[in-house]
Amino acid sequence: MYHVIENLFTQVVQFCIIGLEFVGVAIIIVAAAKALISYLRHRQSVRLDLAKGIALALEFKLGSEVLRTTIVRDFEELAIAGAIVVLRAAITFLIHWEIKNEEARLG
C-alpha cells in the first residue's frame, strides 16, 4: 500500500511540475510577444514590461523546482535541484532590482 501511495504522489508531483514549467514558458512567450509589439510601437516601457514577464515566469519555474525537491531520491539530485533554486532566486532578485530601477527611470 505504501508503494502505491508513493507512486501516486510522485506522479501527481511530476504532473504539477510539468504544469508549472509550462505556465512559466507560456508567460515568457507572451511577455516576449508583448515586448516586441511595444518595441515596434517605440514605447518607453519595453524593458520594464519584459522584465516583469520574465520575473513572473521565473516565480513559476522556481515553484516547480521547489516542488521537485519533494521527490528527489538521493543527495546528488537534491544538490542539483538546490543549485537550480539558488540560481533562479538570484536571477529573480536581479530582475526585481532591474524593475525597480527601470520604474524609477520612467516614473
Side-chain angles (χ1 to χ4, degrees), residues 2-100:
Y2 172 77
H3 293 294
V4 173
I5 294 172
E6 182 182 16
N7 287 336
L8 179 63
F9 175 75
T10 301
Q11 294 299 321
V12 169
V13 169
Q14 287 176 341
F15 179 76
C16 292
I17 289 169
I18 291 169
L20 288 171
E21 292 281 341
F22 176 78
V23 170
V25 170
I27 289 170
I28 290 173
I29 291 169
V30 170
K34 285 183 176 181
L36 179 61
I37 291 168
S38 293
Y39 175 75
L40 294 174
R41 293 182 178 171
H42 302 289
R43 292 191 178 145
Q44 294 292 320
S45 63
V46 174
R47 291 181 65 203
L48 181 61
D49 295 339
L50 184 59
K52 285 182 178 181
I54 291 171
L56 180 60
L58 275 172
E59 295 294 335
F60 278 95
K61 295 184 85 45
L62 186 59
S64 74
E65 289 300 329
V66 170
L67 197 54
R68 190 181 317 272
T69 63
T70 64
I71 59 171
V72 295
R73 297 266 180 218
D74 58 16
F75 182 75
E76 185 176 318
E77 288 180 35
L78 184 61
I80 291 170
I84 292 170
V85 166
V86 168
L87 287 173
R88 286 189 177 169
I91 292 169
T92 301
F93 173 78
L94 291 173
I95 289 174
H96 282 288
W97 178 75
E98 180 68 28
I99 289 170
K100 184 177 127 183

